[in-house]
Amino acid sequence: MGKVREEVKKFTKAQASAIIATTVDFLLSLFAYEVCGINYVVSSFIGALSGGIINCVVNYRWVFGSDGQHKRYVALKYLIVWTGSIVLNTAGTYLLTELTGSYFIWSKAVVSVVVAFLWNYQMQRFFVYRNHHLTRHQ
């Protein structure tokens, strides 16, 4: 029962971190599009980039307890996963917006939820913040 409780706690903290990052992402996306007049695809990318930085820092310090890992390795692994996330979010937002003709923020919201659960959380949990001790077998 302790393992399940630990996983639920970690998942809940990860969702809180994602909410913070998503808030930054959406606010900057809307600001870039509505106030600065930047194309919605570029605005979406700017938001995802900013939210991703926030998410990485919060997850490293608070969610996954990664203080024992070298920041350089965590950052490199996060960059790999984050690149995939940005591509999935940006392309997904573009495709859904173009296919449905809806306002981009609605498409971005749907795509963000799908990518968050199926890609971001899973990759961060099992790859980015897991301390892999690789040893050479003889």
Side-chain angles (χ1 to χ4, degrees), residues 25-36 43 103-105:
D25 176 349
F26 277 63
L27 288 175
L28 285 176
S29 294
L30 283 168
F31 181 80
Y33 180 75
E34 294 291 346
V35 176
C36 299
S43 296
Y103 184 60
F104 88 97
I105 209 70

Side-chain angles (χ1 to χ4, degrees), residues 46-136:
I46 291 168
L49 186 69
S50 304
I53 292 168
I54 299 294
N55 188 250
C56 183
V57 171
V58 172
N59 284 349
Y60 181 82
R61 298 202 181 275
W62 183 58
V63 177
F64 293 101
S66 304
D67 288 331
Q69 295 185 52
H70 294 285
K71 290 178 184 175
R72 177 181 320 147
Y73 299 120
V74 170
L76 179 62
K77 291 188 292 184
Y78 190 87
L79 181 63
I80 293 166
V81 172
W82 187 28
T83 299
S85 180
I86 288 175
V87 168
L88 290 169
N89 275 293
T90 304
T93 298
Y94 170 77
L95 288 173
L96 195 57
T97 300
E98 294 301 313
L99 289 173
T100 64
S102 64
Y103 184 60
F104 88 97
I105 209 70
W106 302 118
S107 299
K108 182 176 178 65
V110 170
V111 171
S112 293
V113 169
V114 172
V115 171
F117 284 107
L118 298 180
W119 176 261
N120 294 349
Y121 179 72
Q122 304 306 324
M123 292 299 290
Q124 289 177 27
R125 179 174 170 230
F126 292 112
F127 176 65
V128 175
Y129 297 103
R130 178 171 275 174
N131 196 0
H132 298 281
H133 294 290
L134 302 176
T135 58
R136 188 173 167 188

